[in-house]
Amino acid sequence: MDRFLIYGGNRLDGEIAIGGAKNAGLKLMVAGLLTAERLTLTNVPAIADIATMLDLLRQHGIAVEKTDESGRTLSIGGDITSVEAPYDIVSKMRASILVLGPLLARMREARVSLPGGCAIGTRPVDLHLKGLETLGAEITLENGYINARAPNGLKGDRILLPFASVGATENLLMAATLARGRTEIVNAAREPEIGDLVACLNAMGARITGQGSGTLVIDGVEALHGAEHAIMPDRIECGTYACAAGITGGDLLLLGGRIGDLGAVVSTFEEAGIEAVQEERGLRVRRTGPLRGVDIMTEPYPGFPTDMQAQFMAMLSVAEGASMITETIFENRFMHVPELNRMGARINVHGSSAIIRGVDHLSGAQVMATDLRASFSLILAGLVARGETSVSRIYHLDRGYEGVDRKLAACGARIERIRD
Ligand SMILES: CC(=O)N[C@H]1[C@@H](OP(=O)(O)OP(=O)(O)OC[C@H]2O[C@@H](n3ccc(=O)[nH]c3=O)[C@H](O)[C@@H]2O)O[C@H](CO)[C@@H](O)[C@@H]1O
Ligand SMILES: C=C(OP(=O)(O)O)C(=O)O
C-alpha cells in the first residue's frame, strides 16, 4: 500500500493546474447511458473513481474509448447489454447508484446493488428510490439489490425533496429527461456540478430549466443524442490547494480555478486571513497576515461544502484563537480529528461540532487516511508540521486527487510517494 512522506516547513509558491471535477465527471459519464449515440467528454481527470466508473459502464456493455493520448478525452456510447450494477463495483464507489435512473429511463429496468454506508456516514438512498417511484417505477429490495421496473416507461410528476440531496437530484434529473411529460424537482440541490450536468444533458437534447433556482423543470423527450462536453474544473480540488497556500503562508495561482463556483468558501477564506482573487488564468490565493480562527457550518451549496471541512480543520488547527466547525451533512465526518491530534492539534468533538484551539506548531507523525478529504487534511498538516509525516492508506486520496505529490512538489513542498 502506498503512502506519502512529507517534510514540513516549506512555503508553497507557484502554479497548480486544477483538473476536471470528479463530482461532475462521474455523473457526466453516467449520462452516456441515456443515448445510443456518442457522448464525448473532455477535461477528464486521471483519478481512480473515473476508472471505476469506466468499469461500470463497460459492465453495462457501453464502449468507452480514450480518444487522445493523455486519456483526458472519453468517448462513450453503444447499446446497453446488461442492466445490472454489481456489488463489487458499487461497494467501491457510491456514485455507482446514479446509473439507476438512466437505466430505468432507457431500458425500463435496472438491478443495482445497494451501496450501503461508508466511513463518513450511513448514506441511505431512500430519496432516490421514492422519487423514482413517484415517476412510476416499481421498486423492490432483495438480496442487497434494488430491483426497479417501469414496464410502461417513466411518467413525469412533481417531486418534493425533503432534503436537497445532490445524488437524488442527479438521479431523478437524468431519469426525467426520457420520462413522458413534465417533471418538477422541488428543493433540488444547486451544486455547480448539477449545473454542469444540466448543460450537458441539454446539449444532448434534453429540455431542462431552472438550474440554480432550487426547482428543476424537465420536459421529457423521446430520445437524447450525442454531444461533446468539457467537464468543469474541480472546485474542491481548487479549494484544497487554496488551503495549502493558506496553511503554508504561500502564494498559489490555481490554473483554471473559478471563484464563482466556491460559494461560501470565499468569505470563509477572507475571515481566516486568506485572499482569493480571480485572475485571467485562474484563482490567485495568498495569505495576507496571520491565520485567524473562524466558525464554519457545512451546508448544501452555496453554503460551506462538507467536502472542504477536513481541509479547513487542518488549517485552523494552526490558526490564532479558537474555531468551531459544525458538520450538518454527514454524521461521521470527523475521522481526521484523532489523526490531527496525534500531530499536536487541539481539537475536541462534541456531537456534530468540533472545537479547534489553534496551536503554535504541529509535529510530524505517522498518520492514517480514513477517507478522501480526510487524507488531504493530513497532507496539509504535514506541510507545516515540524519533521516528517507519513500518511498511509492513500488509496482514499487517489479516488479523487490526481498527481498530488507532483503538483505540491512543483511549488516547493517536500513530499514523496513511497510504494511499500
Ligand atoms: C459523487 C458525489 O458527487 N459526491 C458528493 C455528493 O454525495 P451524495 O450525492 O451522496 O450526497 P447527498 O447530498 O445525496 O447526501 C447528503 C446527505 O443526505 C443524506 N441522504 C441522501 C440521499 C438520500 O436518499 N437519503 C439521505 O438521507 C445522506 O445520507 C447525507 O447525509 O454530495 C455530497 C454533499 O455535497 C458530497 O459530500 C459528495 O462529495
Ligand atoms: C464524499 C465524497 O465523495 P463520494 O460521494 O464519492 O464518497 C467527496 O468527494 O468528498
Side-chain angles (χ1 to χ4, degrees):
M1 258 191 293
D2 291 4
R3 63 194 168 95
F4 276 130
L5 258 194
I6 305 156
Y7 304 87
N10 287 6
R11 177 192 140 108
L12 296 194
D13 288 292
E15 298 183 349
I16 291 180
I18 300 304
K22 163 179 96 71
N23 288 350
L26 293 174
K27 331 310 169 52
L28 291 162
M29 289 172 76
V30 171
L33 288 171
L34 288 164
T35 175
E37 294 183 18
R38 296 239 137 229
L39 173 63
T40 301
L41 297 176
T42 59
N43 199 30
V44 179
I47 53 177
D49 271 11
I50 293 284
T52 306
M53 185 57 84
L54 214 133
D55 286 347
L56 182 57
L57 291 181
R58 286 187 176 141
Q59 140 79 27
H60 293 307
I62 300 289
V64 187
E65 284 155 30
K66 294 184 177 168
T67 55
D68 68 351
E69 269 179 25
S70 65
R72 298 201 180 274
T73 302
L74 285 184
S75 169
I76 300 166
D79 290 332
I80 296 171
T81 56
S82 162
V83 293
E84 177 160 330
Y87 176 73
D88 60 340
I89 299 185
V90 181
S91 59
K92 240 197 218 172
M93 186 185 66
R94 299 189 86 269
S96 310
I97 184 71
L98 290 163
V99 301
L100 180 61
L103 287 173
L104 251 182
R106 187 156 153 224
M107 306 301 288
R108 302 190 169 191
E109 58 173 334
R111 181 173 147 80
V112 177
S113 170
L114 276 162
C118 73
I120 61 176
T122 49
R123 305 185 76 175
V125 291
D126 54 317
L127 305 179
H128 302 233
L129 303 188
K130 275 188 201 135
L132 290 171
E133 281 174 339
T134 305
L135 298 183
E138 297 160 16
I139 296 184
T140 54
L141 304 181
E142 217 176 349
N143 307 117
Y145 275 77
I146 303 161
N147 295 314
R149 292 174 66 241
N152 302 315
L154 296 173
K155 191 168 171 302
D157 206 330
R158 184 172 188 273
I159 301 167
L160 173 62
L161 290 177
F163 174 80
S165 152
V166 171
T169 300
E170 292 164 335
N171 226 336
L172 298 169
L173 170 69
M174 288 192 277
T177 58
L178 295 178
R180 285 194 311 284
R182 172 168 287 194
T183 300
E184 257 183 59
I185 307 175
V186 183
N187 196 28
R190 293 182 284 163
E191 269 67 5
E193 292 77 13
I194 295 175
D196 210 31
L197 179 61
V198 166
C200 178
L201 291 169
N202 280 343
M204 293 167 73
R207 292 174 56 205
I208 306 164
T209 55
Q211 164 53 24
S213 72
T215 298
L216 288 169
V217 179
I218 306 112
D219 286 306
V221 295
E222 276 292 313
L224 296 184
H225 52 73
E228 181 169 332
H229 182 85
I231 301 174
M232 66 177 282
D234 196 317
R235 68 189 163 102
I236 306 298
E237 187 190 24
C238 181
T240 301
Y241 285 114
C243 287
I247 199 168
T248 65
D251 182 339
L252 292 177
L253 180 60
L254 304 172
L255 301 170
R258 303 194 305 213
I259 201 163
D261 292 337
L262 293 182
V265 170
V266 178
S267 55
T268 314
F269 271 132
E270 269 167 27
E271 269 184 76
I274 297 158
E275 180 186 76
V277 179
Q278 186 72 54
E279 295 186 359
E280 209 180 309
R281 296 167 62 226
L283 193 69
R284 162 86 54 194
V285 183
R286 63 176 161 234
R287 208 157 85 199
T288 51
L291 272 178
R292 294 186 294 266
V294 292
D295 291 343
I296 293 172
M297 185 177 298
T298 62
E299 287 174 328
Y301 190 83
F304 188 94
T306 174
D307 293 351
M308 285 299 305
Q309 182 257 105
Q311 302 89 312
F312 263 76
M313 193 176 297
M315 197 169 68
L316 295 174
S317 70
V318 288
E320 282 180 358
S323 308
M324 180 158 93
I325 298 185
T326 304
E327 171 61 58
T328 74
I329 307 294
F330 293 108
E331 69 264 30
N332 191 28
R333 212 175 190 181
F334 285 142
M335 308 264 283
H336 38 285
V337 169
E339 299 303 289
L340 290 172
N341 283 347
R342 294 188 65 249
M343 297 178 70
R346 283 182 63 206
I347 307 170
N348 288 307
V349 175
H350 305 274
S352 59
S353 292
I355 310 281
I356 303 118
R357 294 187 176 79
V359 295
D360 168 63
H361 71 273
L362 297 174
S363 51
Q366 283 180 300
V367 287
M368 198 182 276
T370 50
D371 65 73
L372 171 58
R373 310 301 168 187
S375 314
F376 217 115
S377 76
L378 301 177
I379 292 178
L380 291 170
L383 289 175
V384 290
R386 291 186 185 162
E388 182 183 295
T389 297
S390 160
V391 183
S392 61
R393 302 206 175 170
I394 56 171
Y395 55 86
H396 290 293
L397 187 94
D398 293 336
R399 277 188 50 212
Y401 290 96
E402 178 182 341
V404 171
D405 44 345
R406 172 176 46 83
K407 291 183 183 187
L408 288 173
C411 295
R414 288 178 66 201
I415 176 168
E416 70 182 296
R417 190 178 184 112
I418 309 288
R419 299 177 195 275
D420 286 331

